[in-house]
Amino acid sequence: MLSPMSDDKISRPRLVLGVWAVAFMVRAFHNQALLADPLYYNPLGGNVPYLVMAEEIVAGTLLPSGGAFTVNSPLYPYLLAILYKAFGVGSYYAVRLCGSAVDAGTCALVALLTLRHAGIVAAWTAGMALALFGPMIFFATELAPVPYTLFLITLAVLLLDGEGGRARLGLAGVLLGLATAMRPNVLLAGLLALAVPWARRFPAPGRGAVAVGLGLALGILPVTVANLAAGGGFTLLTLSGGHNLYIGHNPAARAQYSLPADLDGDIFQTMKGLAEDVEGRPFRDDEVSGYYSRRAIAWAVRNPAREAALTGRRALLLVNDFEATTYANYQYQIAWSPILRWAPSFAWLLALALPGALLFLDRRRLHVWIPFLVAAASVLLFFYIARLRVVMIPTLGVFAGAAVARTLTLVRRRDWAAVAVAAALAVAALGVSKLPLLQGDTSNDWNKAGGVLRLLERYEEAEAALARAGVANPDNPNTWLNLAALYRDTGRPGDAAAADARARDLLDGQARESAGFRAALEDTGG
């Protein structure tokens, strides 16, 4: 059995403030260390569409241009716009600190949730584990919607954990609706929450479920209305679902996120352009999602064995220690941040959490599993990428805190057999998580850093960054293109010509990869 919640009215404020303060300070130090990174004020990649849209909102363009939302996170640009209005457009330092403060709040909420189920020792353990947890620290400053999504879903679970008044359940639904507007894959959390009144045996569970459902709809409604007002027809959230599904289910699909280099960037537009090229006709934005969804489903149905193998590998990657990131690179940031360098990784949180998960196999506590189930379903349905997995972290934090507290109790009781079982589970989790399934590649990030430094005419630093990119992946053609430009800038035409020749060879290889992806799209339509 788990320990009941402590009734100490002093311990709860100390718990919340203590966990929040430690978590925020750690993230603030990490943010400060990242100021040395050339990419800090020059973000590149998938975050750029959000940043551009936020600037447009501040300038007065309140609705998505040309129809419904095509970005993965419809609500996030509006939140960014609010921060821009408060601190100035492009105020990335303030935006990152706000994300850090919100993420620290999530750590405090997890501590409160753990307190209710496993006592004060478990609560402090859970809160501090997440306060020092590397992936959460990383995402807190990534200029992405992750910290806000985690905060909203954790607060909703905390509300679902209390007594089941309909107002409380409705508010939990609203928060899950807003989290869904921030990251559409979180819609599953709202659907799972509909079952909580029955699972927890609330009075009049049907009315409770209606309250959750109405709240969920209310949280999503602003995005749906914006889509209608922008001329996008009835689009619940965004038009980005179909091509994301196809990325995970096509002849060239991998268990992790994988896309030819020339299709990266504004992925919706590049995938739309690819569909138009293959079909030889223009596409409306609202046609793209259905086009790719049909092909993804058709491919999966025709190739069940391969899909089963991909699903199995994704299940292993779901609990793997490697952080597969795109907008910013976890391994790259380790070079700049001593905080991230020494922070505990996913494997250690999983090792602590697995024994604790057994304590929550109770229908009255199944709502604590909601973040985990959302992350697992998202990875298995689409592909493994760290920002899909990170949604499970609040659940793992609760489990870890409960496991540590329970193990200490077993030690005091000298129940060595039970302690040995918990230790064996932790070691097993650590071993599975440490399987070498993926390898890091920081070449894109060092290449971008080198490009920024070259434009700033900091040539020695630029060459050092590009050298690190070459070591990370000597087959990245962009590194050689940037080196060629750097050599021309510094009066080395011979070196520039050699770098250009190397880049052309590698670009030919990328062109073949893109041609294969295009041919695969044609095949899936057959």
Side-chain angles (χ1 to χ4, degrees):
M1 295 292 292
L2 295 175
S3 303
M5 180 184 73
S6 170
D7 290 327
D8 183 358
K9 295 184 178 181
I10 298 177
S11 66
R12 293 172 70 184
R14 285 179 177 173
L15 173 70
V16 171
L17 290 175
V19 169
W20 185 91
V22 171
F24 179 71
M25 284 190 294
V26 169
R27 284 150 180 76
F29 285 134
H30 169 66
N31 183 56
Q32 201 68 23
L34 291 182
L35 285 172
D37 179 6
L39 300 182
Y40 187 92
Y41 282 109
N42 298 278
L44 301 169
N47 279 343
V48 173
Y50 298 131
L51 304 174
V52 171
M53 188 173 176
E55 292 184 22
E56 292 173 349
I57 293 168
V58 171
T61 305
L62 299 180
L63 297 174
S65 57
F69 288 101
T70 59
V71 294
N72 287 328
S73 177
L75 189 59
Y76 183 56
Y78 292 90
L79 176 60
L80 275 177
I82 292 171
L83 296 176
Y84 280 180
K85 289 290 284 187
F87 301 107
V89 171
S91 51
Y92 299 147
Y93 186 87
V95 170
R96 286 181 162 103
L97 281 184
C98 287
S100 297
V102 170
D103 199 57
T106 299
C107 298
L109 292 176
V110 168
L112 275 179
L113 183 61
T114 310
L115 178 66
R116 290 183 171 182
H117 291 274
I120 193 67
V121 172
W124 277 106
T125 302
M128 288 302 176
L130 296 197
L132 302 175
F133 182 53
M136 278 190 74
I137 296 168
F138 166 79
F139 278 113
T141 61
E142 200 209 353
L143 297 177
V146 169
Y148 303 96
T149 306
L150 288 181
F151 181 85
L152 290 167
I153 195 172
T154 306
L155 183 55
V157 171
L158 189 64
L159 289 173
L160 293 171
D161 194 71
E163 296 302 318
R166 286 199 292 276
R168 188 186 186 100
L169 292 171
L171 180 56
V174 170
L175 293 171
L176 291 173
L178 292 172
T180 301
M182 199 68 71
R183 292 297 304 181
N185 62 296
V186 177
L187 178 61
L188 176 62
L191 301 178
L192 292 172
L194 296 174
V196 169
W198 280 282
R200 300 200 61 211
R201 297 176 180 170
F202 289 156
R207 293 181 180 180
V210 169
V212 172
L214 289 175
L216 179 67
L218 185 61
I220 293 172
L221 185 62
V223 174
T224 307
V225 169
N227 284 328
L228 285 168
F234 180 79
T235 301
L236 187 65
L237 290 160
T238 177
L239 299 173
S240 67
H243 71 261
N244 281 317
L245 187 66
Y246 183 79
I247 290 170
H249 304 275
N250 70 77
R254 300 178 188 174
Q256 69 273 26
Y257 172 85
S258 178
L259 200 62
D262 63 346
L263 292 177
D264 223 338
D266 188 341
I267 298 174
F268 180 85
Q269 293 301 328
T270 58
M271 292 293 280
K272 178 185 175 184
L274 177 63
E276 291 174 336
D277 184 42
V278 167
E279 298 300 325
R281 66 175 179 84
F283 273 65
R284 299 190 313 273
D285 283 356
D286 59 1
E287 291 182 282
V288 177
S289 185
Y291 174 83
Y292 280 108
S293 293
R294 289 190 295 272
R295 276 151 182 77
I297 294 169
W299 170 257
V301 169
R302 293 201 302 265
N303 298 272
R306 188 172 186 276
E307 287 294 313
L310 280 175
T311 301
R313 187 170 176 84
R314 284 179 184 136
L316 287 174
L317 287 173
L318 180 70
V319 295
N320 194 258
D321 196 44
F322 185 81
E323 296 293 325
T325 50
T326 52
Y327 298 169
N329 190 300
Y330 189 86
Q331 287 74 31
Y332 169 78
Q333 284 195 5
I334 285 175
W336 301 99
S337 171
I339 294 289
L340 211 59
R341 198 173 307 139
W342 294 104
S345 65
F346 181 86
W348 297 101
L349 182 63
L350 182 71
L352 290 177
L354 183 58
L358 301 179
L359 303 174
F360 285 80
L361 296 177
D362 174 347
R363 62 179 292 177
R364 293 179 181 270
R365 295 190 175 97
L366 289 180
H367 58 284
V368 179
W369 286 84
I370 286 177
F372 178 90
L373 294 173
V374 170
S378 299
V379 169
L380 296 179
L381 179 61
F382 292 99
F383 38 74
Y384 169 59
I385 198 167
R387 65 176 177 271
L388 291 182
R389 179 176 74 178
V390 74
V391 177
M392 73 164 62
I393 299 307
T395 296
L396 296 187
V398 175
F399 292 171
V404 169
R406 179 62 175 165
T407 302
L408 290 175
T409 300
L410 294 173
V411 169
R412 286 196 295 270
R413 294 176 181 173
R414 299 178 182 273
D415 189 347
W416 303 119
V419 171
V421 170
L425 288 172
V427 170
L430 192 63
V432 171
S433 186
K434 287 292 187 178
L435 290 174
L437 301 178
L438 294 177
Q439 290 185 337
D441 180 359
T442 58
S443 63
N444 278 328
D445 302 85
W446 284 112
N447 171 61
K448 292 171 185 176
V452 169
L453 291 166
R454 181 182 68 82
L455 292 174
L456 295 173
E457 298 184 357
R458 292 160 59 181
Y459 295 125
E460 288 186 9
E461 295 172 78
E463 189 160 359
L466 293 172
R468 295 190 70 159
V471 170
N473 181 3
D475 295 329
N476 186 338
N478 295 317
T479 301
W480 294 99
L481 290 172
N482 258 331
L483 275 171
L486 175 66
Y487 292 148
R488 283 191 290 270
D489 288 347
T490 54
R492 289 178 278 177
D495 291 338
D500 272 329
R502 176 65 173 151
R504 283 194 299 272
D505 289 341
L506 294 171
L507 286 170
D508 287 343
Q510 281 192 353
R512 288 191 293 271
E513 181 187 7
S514 297
F517 193 84
R518 183 188 189 282
L521 181 58
E522 293 173 341
D523 289 343
T524 58

